[in-house]
């Protein structure tokens, strides 16, 4: 017996030695440190990546809210430009390559000069009769570029600057010239030969219209059309002269304008009144009631591009915008005040509209300039460029350079940065009164086929559309996802749960583009053709489930015990299928009996708009896509409730439903809430389903029968088509930032609420 005992004592120990324990501690310490710093590094990398995303988005949108800047490049005296100082400049222009300027003089001379070095390029003169003296000058909107000279003998000359491009030795060369759309010979506008003291000119679809005020206060409207002989090159001009109703007694005109539609002529008087003449029918011209402009006497008036709105300056430095708005009662246009801008210090001496957009410049008699934009209601710059009145402003068609001429004929050349004046907080988030509209509205319409189109970029329709799509999707998904999760986790047998849960989770792998395709091409027409069935299914299915459950509870216990516990849901399959089939089959008869054959037409007749691709379709399909997310997370939360809590509740006499309501739901509420927020985030960011199943109409309502446009769908549709670094491009990046901020705020609030719920029910 002593030998085995001795052998047992000599057997090696299974416990690690001191050296082994030290090595294990070192390995464990290394692994712990690696895990800790690895997780920390990954977290910091995620935060850094999000920071880079925000930084990139901010870098793209920052220029949107930058004001304009003007940097003086050069200043020229009349001698440096080889111009006669005593010959006043009546109009100044600059071509699109910003190299050549043109100065229209009172004498009729037109001096073309190089703005880079001040050298002379070309000197020409507008023809006129020997006995005629200059009395007035008028210009059309910048896109037409017409210039009309009025003379003391009642004649008028119409000219236009033309810039011919050539590329000798691959170098751009610009050749300026004057063209005469109505011929070089001056036209006799006033038959009595009275001096033309005020002029207005506009090129319209009816021809070239010229309005004139004679020295004896008569108003004339001339309509000119021309044709050129293809063989001889001779231009023949057809002229029609009409007399307008006279000016009110005691008023003198200070400015005139004609719109491009040949519908209205507007006269500003020295009594601060705006006179509107309806000229759409030249044989029956009428004058509407005058409108008084507040803020001093009118000193300048110009149409913006498109001639749907006027900008007016006064001797008090006030600058305001006015629209031609049609009254719904009498279907007649009236001049309506829209918005005012920051005033200049002195009297307004000049207003200069920008090319191709609703911006304009103003100058005063104290050497100040202001840069404004109508739609966004922005004052982009107020600055002083000297102490002398600014009489003329020329803006290049690409808005990067301007020419300023003061009353001493000193010319200033300045570079301009004014890239994105169309955007402001008010234009993005508040109602904006757009040209051609009866009142301020929320509108998203970023492009059009018209050259005079005014971009309308309000985020309100996109925000409403995003929330609308998410709301109806969640309205469909939350009840099914959460209640299905509760039943699956708590009531369903493990074997059936093992079939149901993976099947629903596999639904999440379905490509959303396929769901959107099916929604747009199959579900939307089906819903439109079976509207009564859809509503009947939504109402009857819950009722049928309750009735089926009640009937099953009244079955004899001997029959009910044959159904294994946890398989009761199988009983509902047949009633659900039969109910859906019955609703669809009865839909045509329901429409005939209750809706005169068409439920959609019944909606229309009762003032409810219906679009085939609408929020109802999106709610069903997007809800179908969101259900797996909500179900999976909520089911795990319910299934993870400790068994001792439920068993204790049952042991104390609570029923299974009482246990669910009083114990399971409070304990699992943080997880269920997280599931709903995850589903909401998925719905907010969904793109393809909304893109293909809504019609993408940016409307501002929560009508379930109309479509919508969401932030994500709008970005997907418009970003590939927009020019890089354009205003539209940057606004789409701003929309992406708003969407990212929305999801960030929602997730943050969700996490705060989840933590509070977790803390509140942790004592269970």
């Amino acid at each position: 017996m002593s030998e085995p005992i001795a052998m047992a004592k000599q057997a090696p120990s299974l416990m690690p030695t001191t050296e082994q324990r030290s090595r294990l501690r070192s390995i464990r310490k290394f692994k712990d440190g690696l895990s800790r710093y690895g997780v920390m590094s990954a977290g910091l990398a995620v935060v850094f990546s999000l920071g880079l995303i925000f930084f990139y988005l901010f870098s793209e949108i920052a220029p949107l809210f930058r004001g304009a800047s003007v940097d003086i490049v050069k200043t020229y005296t009349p001698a440096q430009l080889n111009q006669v100082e005593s010959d006043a400049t009546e109009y100044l222009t600059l071509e699109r390559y910003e190299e050549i300027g043109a100065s229209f003089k009172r004498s009729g001379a037109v001096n073309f000069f190089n703005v880079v070095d001040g050298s002379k390029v070309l000197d020409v003169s507008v023809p006129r009769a020997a006995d005629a003296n200059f009395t007035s000058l008028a210009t059309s909107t910048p896109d037409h570029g017409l210039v009309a000279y009025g003379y003391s003998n009642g004649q008028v000359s119409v000219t236009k600057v033309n810039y011919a491009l050539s590329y000798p030795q691959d170098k751009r060369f610009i050749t300026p010239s004057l063209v005469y759309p109505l011929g070089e010979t001056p036209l006799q506008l006033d038959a009595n030969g009275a001096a033309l003291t005020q002029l207005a000119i506009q090129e319209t679809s009816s021809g070239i219209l010229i309005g004139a005020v004679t020295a004896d206060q008569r108003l004339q409207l001339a309509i000119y059309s021309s044709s050129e002989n293809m063989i001889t090159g001779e231009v023949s001009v057809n002229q029609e002269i009409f007399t307008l109703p006279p000016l009110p007694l005691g008023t003198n005109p200070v400015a005139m304008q004609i719109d491009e539609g040949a519908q209205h002529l507007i006269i500003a008087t020295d009594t601060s009144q705006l006179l509107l003449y309806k000229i759409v029918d030249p044989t029956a011209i009428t004058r509407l009631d005058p409108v008084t402009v507040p803020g001093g006497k009118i000193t300048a008036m110009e149409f913006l591009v498109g001639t749907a709105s006027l900008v007016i300056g006064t001797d008090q430095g006030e600058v305001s915008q006015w629209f031609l708005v049609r009254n719904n009662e009498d279907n007649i246009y009236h001049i309506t005040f829209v918005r005012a801008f920051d005033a200049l210090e002195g009297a307004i001496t000049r207003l200069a509209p920008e090319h191709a957009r609703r911006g304009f410049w103003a100058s005063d008699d104290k050497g100040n300039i202001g840069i404004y934009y109508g739609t966004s209601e922005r004052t982009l710059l107020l600055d002083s460029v000297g102490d002398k009145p600014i009489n003329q402003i020329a803006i290049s068609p690409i808005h990067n350079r301007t020419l300023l001429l003061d009353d001493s004929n000193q010319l200033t050349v300045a570079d301009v940065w004014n890239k994105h004046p169309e955007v402001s907080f008010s234009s993005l988030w508040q109602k904006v009164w757009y040209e051609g509209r009866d009142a301020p509205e929320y509108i998203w319409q970023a492009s059009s086929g018209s050259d005079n189109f005014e971009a309308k970029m309000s985020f309100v329709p996109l925000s409403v559309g995003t929330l609308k799509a998410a709301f109806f999707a969640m309205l469909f998904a939350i009840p099914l996802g959460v209640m299905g999760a509760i039943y699956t986790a708590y009531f369903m047998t493990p074997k059936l749960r093992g079939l149901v849960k993976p099947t629903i989770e596999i639904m999440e792998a379905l490509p959303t583009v396929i769901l959107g395709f099916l929604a747009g091409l199959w579900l939307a027409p089906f819903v439109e053709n079976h509207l009564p069935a859809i509503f009947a299914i939504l109402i009857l299915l819950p009722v049928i489930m309750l009735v089926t459950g009640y009937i099953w509870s009244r079955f004899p216990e001997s029959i009910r015990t044959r159904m294994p516990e946890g398989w009761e849901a199988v009983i509902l399959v047949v009633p659900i299928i039969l109910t859906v089939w019955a609703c669809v089959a009865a839909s045509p008869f329901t429409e005939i009996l209750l809706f005169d054959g068409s439920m959609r037409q019944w909606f229309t007749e009762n003032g409810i708009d219906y679009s085939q691709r609408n929020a109802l379709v999106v709610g069903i399909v997007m809800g179908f896509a969101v259900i797996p997310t909500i179900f999976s997370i909520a089911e795990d939360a319910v299934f993870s409730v400790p068994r001792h809590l439920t068993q204790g509740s049952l042991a104390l006499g609570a029923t299974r439903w009482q246990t669910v309501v009083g114990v399971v739901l409070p304990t699992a509420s943080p997880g269920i809430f997280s599931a709903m927020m995850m589903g909401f985030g998925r719905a907010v960011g969904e793109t393809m389903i909304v893109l293909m199943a809504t019609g993408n109409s940016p409307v501002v309502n929560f009508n379930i029968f109309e479509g919508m446009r969401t932030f994500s769908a709008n970005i997907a549709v418009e970003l590939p088509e927009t020019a890089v670094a354009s205003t539209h491009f940057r606004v789409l990046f701003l929309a992406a930032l708003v969407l990212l901020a929305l999801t960030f705020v929602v997730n943050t609030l969700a996490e705060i609420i989840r933590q509070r719920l977790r803390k509140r029910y942790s004592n269970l």
Side-chain angles (χ1 to χ4, degrees):
M1 295 295 292
S2 60
E3 184 176 354
I5 294 174
M7 293 180 60
K9 290 181 178 179
Q10 295 176 1
S13 175
L14 296 178
M15 299 296 292
T17 65
T18 303
E19 182 180 353
Q20 289 174 331
R21 284 197 296 271
S22 177
R23 187 168 58 251
L24 289 174
R25 281 196 297 268
S26 299
I27 294 173
R28 187 163 53 249
K29 184 177 180 181
F30 172 76
K31 290 181 179 179
D32 291 343
L34 182 64
S35 300
R36 181 170 63 253
Y37 289 109
V39 172
M40 183 187 301
S41 299
L44 291 175
V46 172
V47 173
F48 180 72
S49 300
L50 289 174
L52 285 180
I53 293 173
F54 274 100
F55 176 78
Y56 176 69
L57 292 176
F58 276 117
S59 68
E60 288 291 344
I61 68 174
L64 289 175
F65 301 100
R66 174 184 167 185
S69 61
V70 175
D71 299 320
I72 296 177
V73 178
K74 289 186 179 180
T75 301
Y76 298 108
T77 63
Q80 291 174 312
L81 296 174
N82 299 312
Q83 297 183 10
V84 179
E85 187 171 356
S86 59
D87 192 5
T89 299
E90 294 292 329
Y91 180 58
L92 197 63
T93 185
L94 179 63
E95 50 84 28
R96 72 178 310 273
Y97 293 102
E98 302 175 335
E99 298 176 6
I100 298 177
S103 176
F104 287 77
K105 300 294 187 178
R106 179 180 290 268
S107 64
V110 181
N111 306 129
F112 293 93
F113 57 92
N114 192 307
V115 301
V116 178
D117 56 18
S119 60
K120 182 177 71 173
V121 177
L122 178 68
D123 288 340
V124 293
S125 295
V126 178
R128 65 175 177 179
D131 61 341
N133 296 317
F134 171 85
T135 55
S136 59
L137 181 140
T139 60
S140 65
T141 48
D143 50 338
H144 294 303
L146 296 176
V147 180
Y149 275 86
Y151 300 115
S152 57
N153 61 355
Q155 291 183 342
V156 64
S157 292
V158 179
T159 187
K160 184 178 183 179
V161 177
N162 180 62
Y163 296 99
L165 288 178
S166 59
Y167 294 88
Q169 299 179 352
D170 294 331
K171 185 178 180 181
R172 183 178 64 239
F173 187 77
I174 304 172
T175 304
S177 63
L178 290 182
V179 295
Y180 300 90
L182 300 179
E184 294 189 30
T185 304
L187 304 168
Q188 190 67 44
L189 192 149
D190 185 60
N192 298 336
L196 306 179
T197 58
Q198 287 288 341
L199 282 180
I201 184 170
Q202 195 63 258
E203 186 172 354
T204 71
S205 58
S206 304
I208 295 177
L209 272 65
I210 300 178
V213 179
T214 62
D216 54 0
Q217 295 293 80
R218 288 181 292 110
L219 299 181
Q220 304 283 337
L221 177 66
I223 303 177
Y224 296 97
S225 58
S226 62
S227 59
E228 182 178 356
N229 191 305
M230 300 298 295
I231 299 176
T232 64
E234 181 181 355
V235 176
S236 59
V237 178
N238 180 44
Q239 172 180 279
E240 294 180 277
I241 306 294
F242 302 93
T243 301
L244 280 68
L247 295 168
L249 294 177
T251 61
N252 295 304
V254 296
M256 294 179 62
Q257 293 292 333
I258 299 174
D259 67 357
E260 292 180 354
Q263 297 187 36
H264 300 101
L265 181 145
I266 302 173
I267 298 177
T269 70
D270 58 357
T271 59
S272 296
Q273 289 186 328
L274 297 177
L275 306 177
L276 180 62
Y277 289 83
K278 186 178 179 181
I279 61 173
V280 63
D281 182 4
T283 61
I285 297 175
T286 57
R287 188 187 75 202
L288 303 181
D289 295 335
V291 176
T292 301
V293 176
K297 293 183 178 180
I298 299 174
T299 56
M301 179 179 70
E302 293 287 345
F303 265 126
L304 295 184
V305 171
T307 67
S309 67
L310 288 163
V311 286
I312 295 173
T314 70
D315 62 351
Q316 301 298 317
E318 301 288 338
V319 180
S320 56
Q321 186 177 9
W322 301 67
F323 282 179
L324 290 171
V325 179
R326 181 160 46 195
N327 192 319
N328 293 328
E329 297 178 358
D330 52 16
N331 201 30
I332 296 176
Y333 284 91
H334 298 273
I335 303 176
T336 305
F337 170 79
V338 176
R339 55 182 68 96
F341 303 91
D342 293 346
L344 296 179
E345 294 180 5
I348 303 298
T349 56
R350 178 71 177 167
L351 293 170
E354 292 184 339
H355 299 250
R357 65 187 190 186
R358 270 63 179 179
F360 64 97
W361 290 48
S363 62
D364 67 7
D365 60 2
K366 294 184 179 181
N368 300 309
I369 59 169
I371 304 178
Y372 306 94
Y373 199 86
T375 306
S376 60
E377 203 170 341
R378 290 182 69 181
T379 300
L380 298 152
L381 177 70
L382 293 176
D383 198 6
S384 174
V385 293
D387 56 358
K388 296 180 180 179
I390 305 297
N391 291 336
Q392 299 296 332
I393 303 174
I395 308 168
S396 78
I398 59 175
H399 313 115
N400 291 337
R401 178 167 286 180
T402 188
L403 305 179
L404 304 171
L405 187 72
D406 62 25
D407 66 348
S408 65
N409 278 340
Q410 179 173 281
L411 182 72
T412 299
V413 181
D415 288 338
V416 180
W417 194 98
N418 189 18
K419 298 290 187 182
H420 311 290
E422 305 97 327
V423 178
S424 66
F425 178 85
S426 61
S427 67
L428 291 174
W429 296 106
Q430 297 177 6
K431 286 187 176 182
V432 177
W433 199 339
Y434 297 101
E435 294 178 0
R437 302 281 175 167
D438 296 334
E441 296 178 85
Y442 299 117
I443 302 174
W444 177 276
Q445 188 181 0
S447 61
S448 173
S450 171
D451 292 337
N452 291 327
F453 171 74
E454 179 182 16
K456 305 170 181 64
M457 293 183 287
S458 172
F459 277 174
V460 174
L462 306 182
S463 302
V464 171
T466 301
L467 296 177
K468 179 179 177 180
F471 172 76
F472 286 115
M474 299 304 287
L475 196 64
F476 181 83
I478 286 177
L480 294 179
V482 173
M483 297 177 72
I486 294 172
Y487 183 83
T488 303
Y490 191 72
F491 293 100
M492 192 173 285
T493 183
K495 186 175 182 180
L496 186 57
R497 177 178 178 269
L499 294 174
V500 172
K501 191 173 188 294
T503 302
I504 295 179
E505 290 177 343
I506 288 175
M507 289 167 49
E508 196 166 10
L510 290 174
T512 55
V513 65
I514 301 300
L515 295 178
F517 178 81
L518 293 175
L521 296 184
W522 172 74
L523 183 60
F526 179 84
V527 170
E528 181 183 20
N529 296 326
H530 299 85
L531 276 173
I534 300 301
F535 288 103
I537 290 171
L538 294 176
I539 296 172
L540 291 180
L541 272 185
V543 176
I544 292 298
M545 292 180 184
L546 293 175
V547 171
T548 303
Y550 178 78
I551 293 175
W552 175 252
S553 67
R554 292 292 180 247
F555 272 37
E557 186 175 354
S558 59
I559 297 177
R560 286 190 284 112
T561 54
R562 295 181 183 179
M563 175 66 69
E565 186 178 2
W567 286 83
E568 293 86 356
V570 178
I571 301 173
L572 293 173
V573 173
V574 173
I576 289 175
I577 294 175
L578 290 177
T579 301
V580 172
W581 174 82
C583 291
V584 173
S587 179
F589 305 101
T590 305
E591 287 191 296
I592 293 173
L593 292 174
L594 302 179
F595 303 105
D596 296 329
S598 173
M599 190 173 182
R600 174 176 179 174
Q601 184 62 33
W602 183 84
F603 279 144
T604 303
E605 292 173 354
N606 286 273
I608 302 174
D609 294 330
Y610 185 93
S611 300
Q612 185 186 77
R613 300 183 180 186
N614 52 44
L616 177 61
V617 176
V618 171
I620 295 174
V621 179
M622 194 186 295
F624 181 81
V626 170
I627 282 175
T629 301
I630 298 176
F631 173 86
S632 180
I633 299 174
E635 201 272 347
D636 288 340
V638 174
F639 193 76
S640 299
V641 174
R643 293 185 62 84
H644 68 271
L645 295 179
T646 57
Q647 290 173 351
S649 175
L650 294 173
L652 291 174
T655 65
R656 299 189 68 181
W657 273 110
Q658 289 173 333
T659 301
V660 167
V661 174
V663 177
V664 175
L665 286 182
T667 306
S669 58
I672 295 174
F673 185 78
S674 297
M676 292 189 293
M677 288 299 101
M678 289 290 291
F680 180 78
R682 167 78 187 276
V684 167
E686 178 56 48
T687 301
M688 295 310 300
I689 294 176
V690 180
L691 189 63
M692 303 177 73
T694 65
N696 287 307
S697 303
V699 295
V700 186
N701 62 50
F702 273 85
N703 183 1
I704 195 173
F705 302 116
E706 287 190 75
M708 78 288 287
R709 178 177 290 194
T710 65
F711 277 118
S712 57
N714 188 68
I715 294 170
V717 169
E718 298 189 1
L719 190 60
E721 306 297 330
T722 186
V724 175
S726 66
T727 300
H728 185 200
F729 178 85
R730 297 188 188 280
V731 168
L732 292 177
F733 272 82
L734 180 58
L737 181 62
V738 171
L739 183 59
L740 186 61
L742 175 63
T743 55
F744 180 79
V745 169
V746 169
N747 289 338
T748 302
L749 292 176
E751 180 62 18
I752 293 173
I753 296 174
R754 189 185 73 83
Q755 291 292 348
R756 290 187 176 182
L757 289 174
R758 185 176 181 180
K759 182 178 180 180
R760 179 176 180 179
Y761 295 109
S762 61
N763 57 355
L764 293 178

